[in-house]
Amino acid sequence: MNPINNQSTRLVSLKDEIKQKLREDIISNTLKPGQRIVETEIAKNHGISQVPVREALRGLEEEGLVKTVKYKGAFVTEINQVELYHIFSLRTEIETSVLEIVVPKLTRRDTGELYDIVEKMKSGTPDYLTQSGFDMDFHSKIIEWSQIEIYNRVWGILNTHIRRYIAYFHPTIQIKPEEVYKYHLELVEVLEQGDVEKSKAAFREHIMSFCNETRIK
């Protein structure tokens, strides 16, 4: 193997590993809003050069999780509730557009997969932070079925911000576990009816009601 290509591949791999680790630390609030991310410390802790760390931070900046301030360094972005409202609005538009493609093609096997996820909500821990993971699995599955790459890519970024929001405000989010189960059970039942417009209305109400219940303004 060409040693130059091998080195390049290794740098890409390191960049992705560091980016994923930092992303999860930001989502989980281990790295808090406004906290500085020091390239040299991360590089030293992982026994690597600063190059893949710098590249990872650039990627996270594109996702809106990191902001670089000239002469000061990289910082975790602040939680912006106004922006979050628009994130949920955009998510609603994507999911309802996807339903136009997905609903007419749904099979019993598809709805069965969704029922399996909903059952985990019922039998799982009463911790909303954990249940929110099942929630994201549920909606991700539907986006995945669209087989539209841009929807999957954008929804993934929105998903990251929503997970971060939930972790940041948990446990102040006042949604009971049984409500999460009930909401998603009803969504599957609506999907089974095969009515696109009814499904879109149900999903729109479900997603945006979360903003009201969690007081996103």
Side-chain angles (χ1 to χ4, degrees), residues 42-196:
I42 296 172
K44 183 178 178 181
N45 290 338
H46 290 81
I48 59 177
S49 74
Q50 289 179 237
V51 175
V53 178
R54 190 174 301 119
E55 291 297 318
L57 290 173
R58 285 175 183 167
L60 293 173
E61 187 163 20
E62 291 176 359
E63 295 179 19
L65 296 175
V66 169
K67 180 178 181 180
T68 300
V69 180
K70 196 172 183 179
Y71 304 124
K72 293 184 178 181
F75 296 82
V76 178
T77 53
E78 300 287 350
I79 294 288
N80 185 326
Q81 293 198 43
V82 173
E83 184 177 80
L84 278 163
Y85 173 83
H86 293 293
I87 285 173
F88 275 91
S89 296
L90 181 55
R91 175 185 166 182
T92 299
E93 292 306 312
I94 290 175
E95 291 202 32
T96 52
S97 295
V98 163
L99 289 174
E100 294 180 2
I101 301 168
V102 169
V103 171
K105 301 178 182 179
L106 276 179
T107 65
R108 288 187 178 181
R109 179 176 180 178
D110 294 333
T111 53
E113 289 186 40
L114 296 179
Y115 275 123
D116 288 342
I117 296 172
V118 172
E119 280 304 306
K120 292 178 183 177
M121 296 176 182
K122 181 180 181 181
S123 59
T125 172
D127 176 18
Y128 181 71
L129 192 58
T130 300
Q131 275 209 326
S132 68
F134 297 138
D135 179 10
M136 292 302 174
D137 290 343
F138 180 96
H139 292 275
S140 293
K141 181 65 67 176
I142 295 171
I143 300 296
E144 178 187 320
W145 287 336
S146 74
Q147 296 184 332
I148 297 178
E149 181 57 32
I150 187 63
Y151 282 166
N152 278 275
R153 189 160 61 245
V154 173
W155 197 92
I157 294 174
L158 300 180
N159 178 18
T160 294
H161 286 274
I162 292 168
R163 288 176 57 207
R164 182 188 180 200
Y165 168 81
I166 291 171
Y168 182 80
F169 286 99
H170 177 76
T172 60
I173 297 176
Q174 300 300 313
I175 301 179
K176 297 178 181 178
E178 56 269 26
E179 292 176 332
V180 178
Y181 166 75
K182 178 175 176 290
Y183 292 156
H184 290 84
L185 181 62
E186 291 173 350
L187 289 179
V188 184
E189 291 171 347
V190 170
L191 288 173
E192 285 186 311
Q193 296 175 28
D195 188 319
V196 173

